[in-house]
């Protein structure tokens, strides 16, 4: 934890300059402190403090409630389901989202069914922290963006915070929730200081962030690629195109009404995600807008990975994932009347 | 029961006559319940795949008295016996299988996904092997809630080849969790014999891979089960961690109701029927001089109880779809 | 295999009256005969002939190439990947689609990457046969419709044949293809005789079936629920509403152009699937239609499971999955001008 | 190397001096390759997570001569040594790590997902344990193509706790497939020690669970590896099915390039360096009277070769995105 100055904001709250990774750490620290039923475990999370250092110091400060596990994702996730049924509040880490697939059963067939099948007699307040996305040099098995899988699992909440503040707030909310929540972080976001307000009230699940207001088009996005949406919007502002950027830290619950309201105003919609386009969650956003009968001035646009595996070489990934310039060009195109 | 040339752990002391009779009564309650279920399924009152544990009751009966209030039991789709061993009322089970509003899960679970936490029955699981890591988690919770909980998880011989079971056993052993792994070895995985699916069919020996004790026992005798599972519970309660118990038994019926059982070896079922729990316990009572009327009374009482319970369930309304969307989230 | 009369149709082809299950069996038999590199394996598929009897007789007739396996889905799927890399053409069965989740890694991270990462130096011509869907009394872990997961996996072809004829043709095409293919059957379809033409030429992957022509609305659907779409269309015909029903035996490749052409004609779209709506593949169909700028007279409709786990009791499932009458009512509503 | 009190199978006969020298040269080629990779990574020419097998080379070197044309090798993300053992050209490997068009996979695989089927190297795998069942499939294919193929799959100590490895071992044993399972036990799984993640750290003993032979060997001596893996290959070729070989070794560097290695025990690395392959082989040559110039020559030649290969790769063009969408489907 960085030892930067702490400013008092209001009673009991403070703003600190933290990286995203440190904000996650602060949220975990808070939850471990205020919720004695929390457990924190996963591969390398305890004594080593996590492969990205995100859980550093928590074993030292919280002892046996924080522990390392074998490389056994089915056991990690399955035991979290069982511990949660019996009153614990496990926070488990799956190091990369890609690895969740060796134990996907425990999420889809087990975790998500607990409350429903027992009619609420049991709950499974498990938080699964993972991280995903493409980063230079990473291989095809360490580069996927898989949120769409989890968003097709009723019973499971899903968040994908982009800022350090949301990383903190979302995780605190997730741990306090009695629903199972998957929080998808992104290792490319872990560094870089941002101001983060700590110790605020626990927020409800859901909500969206208007990262930029605009009138000509709405871009709906989430995760690390939000930065490119904002760069594109900035570039387009210089070309006289006003783009509204909605960033969704929570994807389930999905803030449908807010998205619809924006698209109704701008009349144009683009959805941008790092995941593959076909079957991606962008389709859901488009389908909700279309299904609501929002009148669009141009057909909606979906931007993302163009249905490909992810190659390791950065020059190859650059040929697949749209950069800010390509995003800008496509949105500009969208704003031309046909 | 083929113990594969291994010494079978545990000796059938048999307990007192009272205990033997009580065991027989419990076996009969489970048996009568499931025979009634079969009748209801064949009549079309119950629908879908239903897996009976007829012939395997002694394991659940032997375990029942070992499970304390703080403990937790995890079973498979073949879990009616275990739900009853945990004390779930037959009418609530019938109701569940019949899709009634009065079912233990209001019809949401069905035969293969029953759950009754108030009875320490944390449920069946229809994914082979998936209950084992969940049970490890229940034991893990006990480390922090001061309960001293032991988690019992039961699965079949075929489940031993599933990755999740391996991970759960290593996890429990490495973390020294109080888990009792019970493998009900009925020698079949659906329609396939276990001995063709493993090189060494002495499945309890796999415990050694995880550095935990493992033994094979006679799973047709509640007294043996009680003693040997009791030892495993004791180890777990004393902080000794997990144990694997392979209980040899036989499924006297099909894998599911309607299974044509063409895969059976000649004479297999006849032999199994000579060693099944009702016979084991009946013979023991007879040898102790208990009269036939008392022995028959166990069956009669059970059948009467289950007829009543089934009638009660049949009279209840179907599960009401009005609330079907509730309880997905908080 | 039923011993019904065999009519000669053209040279080398014959029409037989077969159940869907028998048609699958016939396709497997044909592939095992004409492609010596095929293997057929899975749990209970060989000596017992499958839990649904679909693979009956194949062990007897093809010997060791047809074998039973332990209950080890990761080993089944992983070994199929390896055998395919080394020149075999494995056809493996995952008894229920729900069980694929214990080994999802082998499909997403392994199978789908083989060709791409090796730039075609390796192929993985694996066919995974599975079946899915809700059936009376089945529990939440045996009732899901999960095609959307697989349709978000670039590199994997996905088919969901509805008729016995398509069950035959799709499977033959899948086994002959050098792409990995997931074929999703449905146990509720296995019985009931239909005429099936055998031994025709191997068809290309893809295509769609116009199950009913119509002018007022297009219903896009797939799998067992197609029957309800047709019942609804029939009912609506009686009420003067003309519904076109497009059934998609192949979902990847997706016959986008044909769908667009129909929707352009009718101006109204409903997508119907048994899977959950949110994140379901219906969203993709809607997003493609919207993205193509097809002018719709009414907002598109998505019908399916309303984001729920699946309860066991038939009366409860009936409260979730739309039946023909509810489907008809919704489509009728769609055809009313607002 | 801690053999955990177990007798270590295999005796280091050491082979002829020629063989020892050849082994040292191969170890040095791998070592020099990876040290150059580290340099390129730290300079930013290569990017991303790169896992080195420095200190573990003897296992791949010992295995190399056993792998026939028809065989197939499956490795992990820590697989550079194995790719080289299979004969992949260093320039093509450097190219791959540097994202060059000339990389063995044109930049698609990267350090952690290399594949080179023409060299019998069916690739690395970055999902822990996932290569084991795939290797079983390669062996299965050999049963039908008349090749007599043996599949070798290598993974770490930590991977022994992954479900897929369990399933693969049982599958191979039950089907009697010619698979050689090689566990490179470097005592660490990323930043966590294996002895805290299992109750019994004698991992080779898990072979018994599957009814297959298993042994622990010195993985720092190519001669031992050649002999003991050779025996496993022989069993496999003769129809005896799979074997598990646990090769004890040490990773002398971080889990990935950049790992701060704060988890190391005091003195751990010093001790490991005294037993590492370069030392083992160098001492053996010295004892046999081979001169320092010859011994040093192995290193010199290797470093020169790798400098040239790296330069060649660096001079090649970056992978061209023009074709990046190809080869997804037929
Ligand atoms: C992961 C998974 N694979 C396959 C199945 C299908 N299946 C249900 S029961 C069963 C056989 C299980 O055999 P065993 O473990 O011996 O238990 P038994 O049924 O004999 O009690 C199989 C293969 C499943 N439910 N889950
Ligand atoms: C299924 C899965 N879980 C976790 C990881 C992350 N991970 C990569 S390497 C590694 C440690 C593996 O340890 P070991 O098997 O001993 O091999 P070593 O790295 O020591 O060669 C882990 C946990 C992964 N790649 N895949
Ligand atoms: Mg069994
Ligand atoms: Mg290791």
């Amino acid at each position: 934890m960085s030892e930067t100055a702490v400013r008092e904001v209001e009673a009991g709250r403070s703003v600190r300059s933290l990286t995203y990774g440190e904000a996650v750490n602060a949220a975990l620290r808070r939850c471990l402190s205020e919720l004695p039923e929390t457990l924190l475990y996963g591969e390398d999370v305890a004594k080593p403090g996590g492969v990205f250092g995100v859980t550093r110091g928590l074993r030292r400060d919280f002892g046996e409630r924080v522990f390392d596990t074998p490389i056994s994702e089915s056991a990690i996730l399955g035991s979290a389901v069982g511990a949660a049924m019996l009153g614990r509040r496990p926070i488990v880490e799956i190091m990369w989202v890609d690895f969740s697939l060796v134990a996907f059963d425990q999420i889809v067939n087990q975790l998500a069914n607990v409350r429903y099948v027992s009619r609420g007699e049991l709950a499974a307040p498990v938080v699964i922290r993972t991280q995903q996305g493409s980063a230079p040099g990473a291989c095809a098995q360490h580069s996927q963006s898989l949120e769409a899988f989890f968003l097709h699992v009723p019973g499971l909440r899903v968040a994908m915070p982009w800022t350090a503040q949301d990383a903190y707030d979302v995780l605190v909310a997730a741990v306090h929730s009695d629903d199972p929540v998957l929080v998808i972080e992104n290792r490319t976001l872990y560094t870089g200081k941002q101001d983060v307000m700590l110790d605020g009230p626990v927020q409800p699940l859901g909500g969206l962030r208007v990262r930029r207001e605009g009138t000509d088009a709405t871009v709906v996005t989430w995760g690390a690629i939000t930065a490119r949406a904002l760069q594109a919007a900035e570039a387009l502002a210089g070309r006289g195109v006003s783009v509204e950027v909605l960033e969704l830290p929570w994807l389930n619950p999905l803030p449908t009404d807010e998205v619809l309201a924006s698209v109704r105003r701008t009349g144009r919609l683009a959805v941008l995600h790092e995941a593959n386009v076909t079957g991606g969650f962008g389709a859901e956003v488009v389908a909700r807008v279309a299904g609501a009968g929002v009148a669009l001035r141009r057909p909606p646009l979906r931007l993302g990975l163009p249905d490909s595996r992810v190659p390791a070489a950065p020059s190859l990934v650059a040929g697949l994932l749209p950069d800010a310039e390509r995003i800008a060009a496509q949105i500009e195109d969208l704003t031309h009347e046909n | 029961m083929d113990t594969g040339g291994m010494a079978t752990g545990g000796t059938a002391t048999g307990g007192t006559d009272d205990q033997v009779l009580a065991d027989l009564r419990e076996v009969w309650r489970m048996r009568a319940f499931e025979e009634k279920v079969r009748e209801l399924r064949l009549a079309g009152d119950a629908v879908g795949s239903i897996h009976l544990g007829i012939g395997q009751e002694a394991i659940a009966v032997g375990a029942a008295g070992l499970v304390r209030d703080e403990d937790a039991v995890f079973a498979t789709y073949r879990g009616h016996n275990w739900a009853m061993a945990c004390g779930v009322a037959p009418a609530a089970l019938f109701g569940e299988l019949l899709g009634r509003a009065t079912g233990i899960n209001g019809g949401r679970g069905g035969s293969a996904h029953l759950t009754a936490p108030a009875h320490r029955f944390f449920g069946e699981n229809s994914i082979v092997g998936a209950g084992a890591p969940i049970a490890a988690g229940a034991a893990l919770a006990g480390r922090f809630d001061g309960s001293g909980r032991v988690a019992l998880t039961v699965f079949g011989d075929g489940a031993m080849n599933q990755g999740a079971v391996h991970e759960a056993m290593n996890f429990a052993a490495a973390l020294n969790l109080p888990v009792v792994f019970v493998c009900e070895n009925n020698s079949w995985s659906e329609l396939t014999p276990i001995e063709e699916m493993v090189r060494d069919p002495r499945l309890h020996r796999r415990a050694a891979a995880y550095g935990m004790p493992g033994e094979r026992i006679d799973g047709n005798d509640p007294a043996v089960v009680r003693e040997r599972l009791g030892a495993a519970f004791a180890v777990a309660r004393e902080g000794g961690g997990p144990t694997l118990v392979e209980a040899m038994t036989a499924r006297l019926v099909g894998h599911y109701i309607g299974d044509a059982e063409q895969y059976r070896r000649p004479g297999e079922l006849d032999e199994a029927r000579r060693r099944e729990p009702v016979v084991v316990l009946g013979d023991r009572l007879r040898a102790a001089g208990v009269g036939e009327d008392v022995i028959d009374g166990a069956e009669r009482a059970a059948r009467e109880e289950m007829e009543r319970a089934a009638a009660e369930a049949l009279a209840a309304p179907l599960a009401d779809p009005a609330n079907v969307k509730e309880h997905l989230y908080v």
Side-chain angles (χ1 to χ4, degrees), chain A, chain B:
Chain A
M1 188 67 47
S2 87
E3 287 309 321
T4 46
V6 177
R7 281 174 281 143
E8 280 297 319
V9 183
E10 329 170 10
R13 306 197 202 162
S14 57
V15 173
R16 298 180 84 194
S17 175
L18 300 177
T19 67
Y20 186 112
E22 288 164 344
V24 172
N25 186 287
L28 293 171
R29 183 173 289 282
R30 168 174 170 179
C31 294
L32 285 161
S33 299
E34 68 192 13
L35 297 169
E37 70 273 27
T38 46
L39 303 175
L40 176 69
Y41 60 99
E43 296 158 17
D44 303 303
V45 301
K47 293 182 191 162
V51 285
F52 304 107
V54 169
T55 49
R56 217 170 269 159
L58 299 174
R59 166 76 179 192
R60 186 194 57 214
D61 296 342
F62 298 94
E64 302 246 300
R65 283 162 59 208
V66 179
F67 58 93
D68 295 307
T69 68
I71 310 177
S72 305
E73 281 77 7
S74 293
I76 294 169
L77 291 167
S79 66
V81 175
M85 282 177 167
L86 274 300
R88 295 298 100 186
R89 203 171 276 276
I91 308 164
V92 293
E93 178 176 308
I94 298 295
M95 206 182 285
W96 250 262
V97 75
D98 313 71
F99 312 159
S100 70
L101 305 186
V102 302
F104 205 39
D105 165 66
Q106 287 292 347
I107 299 175
V108 180
N109 292 328
Q110 311 301 334
L111 181 60
N113 272 322
V114 171
R115 173 178 292 277
Y116 184 81
V117 172
S118 71
R119 290 183 300 176
E121 279 184 57
L122 286 171
V126 173
V127 172
I128 305 171
R129 283 183 52 243
T130 190
Q131 63 81 32
Q132 71 175 20
S134 155
C139 80
Q141 296 165 330
H142 281 63
S143 297
Q144 298 169 96
S145 292
L146 300 180
E147 68 273 13
F149 286 169
F150 302 93
L151 289 161
H152 191 46
V153 181
L156 179 71
R157 300 294 190 185
V158 180
M160 234 172 114
W162 175 58
T163 61
Q165 183 69 60
D166 277 334
Y168 177 85
D169 288 331
V170 159
L171 188 52
V172 169
V175 177
H176 279 81
S177 168
D178 282 343
D179 285 333
V181 183
L182 175 76
V183 181
I184 307 177
E185 304 167 5
N186 186 305
R187 66 195 175 286
T188 67
L189 298 175
Y190 281 142
T191 49
K193 296 280 183 186
Q194 302 170 34
D195 276 355
V196 181
M197 183 183 308
L198 305 179
D199 305 320
V202 178
Q203 297 177 16
L205 310 193
L208 99 183
R209 308 285 175 259
V210 183
R211 294 292 174 202
R212 183 182 183 112
E213 299 196 337
T215 53
D216 296 331
T218 300
V219 176
V220 177
T221 190
W222 49 85
I225 208 166
T226 301
R228 296 191 187 181
L230 288 172
Q231 287 158 27
E234 183 66 28
L236 287 171
R239 301 181 219 163
V241 180
S242 166
V243 176
E244 178 142 309
V245 178
L246 306 183
E247 185 248 327
L248 275 48
W250 286 94
L251 294 166
N252 178 355
L254 185 67
T256 308
D257 291 343
E258 293 86 339
V259 170
L260 294 181
S262 171
V263 180
R264 277 200 188 94
R265 256 188 301 102
T266 65
R268 297 183 187 87
L269 168 66
V271 191
L272 170 68
H273 54 52
E274 203 177 305
N276 277 298
V277 170
T278 294
F281 203 64
E284 180 66 34
V285 174
V286 167
R288 292 212 181 184
V289 170
V294 177
L296 290 176
R297 292 148 82 174
R298 291 292 306 278
L301 200 63
R302 286 187 292 158
L303 300 170
L305 201 66
D307 297 347
S308 178
R309 312 309 308 169
V310 187
S315 66
L316 295 179
V317 178
L320 287 171
L321 259 188
D323 58 16
E325 197 34 62
R326 270 191 283 163
I327 295 165
Q330 298 232 38
I331 296 174
E332 189 166 20
D333 210 55
L334 185 69
T335 58
H336 293 151
E337 298 304 323
N338 33 3
Chain B
M1 189 208 61
D2 172 22
T3 55
M6 284 292 298
T8 292
T11 47
T13 68
T16 67
D17 298 349
D18 279 1
Q19 180 67 66
V20 178
L21 184 58
D23 286 347
L24 181 66
R25 288 188 175 129
E26 272 312 298
V27 168
W28 265 117
R29 288 184 72 244
M30 294 174 187
R31 182 73 55 93
F33 174 83
E34 289 209 320
E35 289 188 353
K36 186 69 193 175
V37 165
R38 182 166 51 189
E39 187 187 315
L40 292 167
R41 175 67 184 81
L42 294 176
D45 291 308
V47 294
S49 256
I50 298 182
H51 309 85
L52 303 179
I54 290 182
Q56 308 186 184
E57 299 90 346
I59 308 169
V61 169
L66 305 169
V67 180
R68 294 191 192 155
D69 283 354
E70 67 271 22
D71 294 342
V73 173
F74 296 81
T76 70
Y77 46 88
R78 199 179 306 289
H80 305 155
N81 293 344
W82 289 93
M84 289 184 66
C86 288
V88 185
L93 295 175
F94 279 124
E96 190 61 24
L97 273 66
L98 292 164
R100 295 309 203 264
T102 54
I104 184 78
N105 304 119
R108 290 188 177 195
S111 165
H113 205 167
L114 298 167
T115 185
H119 295 275
R120 308 157 302 173
F121 187 64
F122 286 81
E124 296 188 303
N125 206 308
S126 278
I127 303 296
V128 167
I134 300 177
L140 176 67
R143 169 165 300 172
F144 297 98
D145 63 17
S147 68
R149 171 180 311 106
V150 174
L152 179 151
T153 175
V154 59
F155 42 80
D157 43 282
M160 292 290 296
N161 296 329
Q162 182 68 217
V165 171
H166 165 75
E167 294 193 7
M169 288 186 182
N170 181 67
F171 191 85
L175 275 67
N176 203 39
L177 298 174
V179 182
V180 178
F181 293 99
V182 180
C183 177
E184 294 183 325
N185 188 341
N186 61 13
S187 81
W188 291 97
S189 306
E190 296 201 325
L191 326 177
T192 296
I194 187 66
E195 74 262 24
E196 293 184 14
M197 296 298 124
V198 296
R199 251 199 192 180
D200 182 350
R202 295 166 299 181
L203 301 176
H204 61 290
R205 293 200 156 191
R206 293 192 178 183
Y210 311 105
M212 68 174 168
E215 71 174 322
R216 175 177 277 195
I217 67 168
D218 179 352
N220 286 347
D221 185 340
V224 172
V225 172
R226 185 171 297 114
E227 186 200 322
R228 302 314 306 152
L229 276 191
F233 268 88
V235 167
R237 290 203 206 283
E238 286 156 15
T243 300
L244 170 62
V245 177
E246 179 189 14
M248 304 306 289
T249 186
R251 146 164 80 66
L252 297 176
V253 293
H255 169 69
Y256 56 92
I257 300 175
D259 178 359
E261 297 183 70
Q262 285 165 337
Y263 48 85
R264 295 285 192 181
R265 287 178 299 271
E268 175 189 343
L269 282 179
D270 287 343
E271 188 175 326
R273 279 195 205 97
R274 284 195 289 274
R275 304 169 167 209
E276 66 117 325
V278 165
V279 173
V280 168
L281 297 170
D283 285 354
R284 191 166 297 149
L285 288 169
R286 275 179 212 101
V290 177
E292 289 298 331
D293 54 332
V294 176
I295 293 172
D296 290 351
E299 174 176 357
R300 220 171 21 247
R303 293 208 189 275
E304 279 166 21
E305 178 191 0
M306 297 311 154
E307 285 298 328
R308 275 195 311 275
E312 184 187 322
L314 280 166
L318 287 179
D320 181 357
N323 309 323
V324 71
K325 293 186 186 168
E326 285 177 11
H327 300 300
L328 182 63
Y329 299 105
V330 177

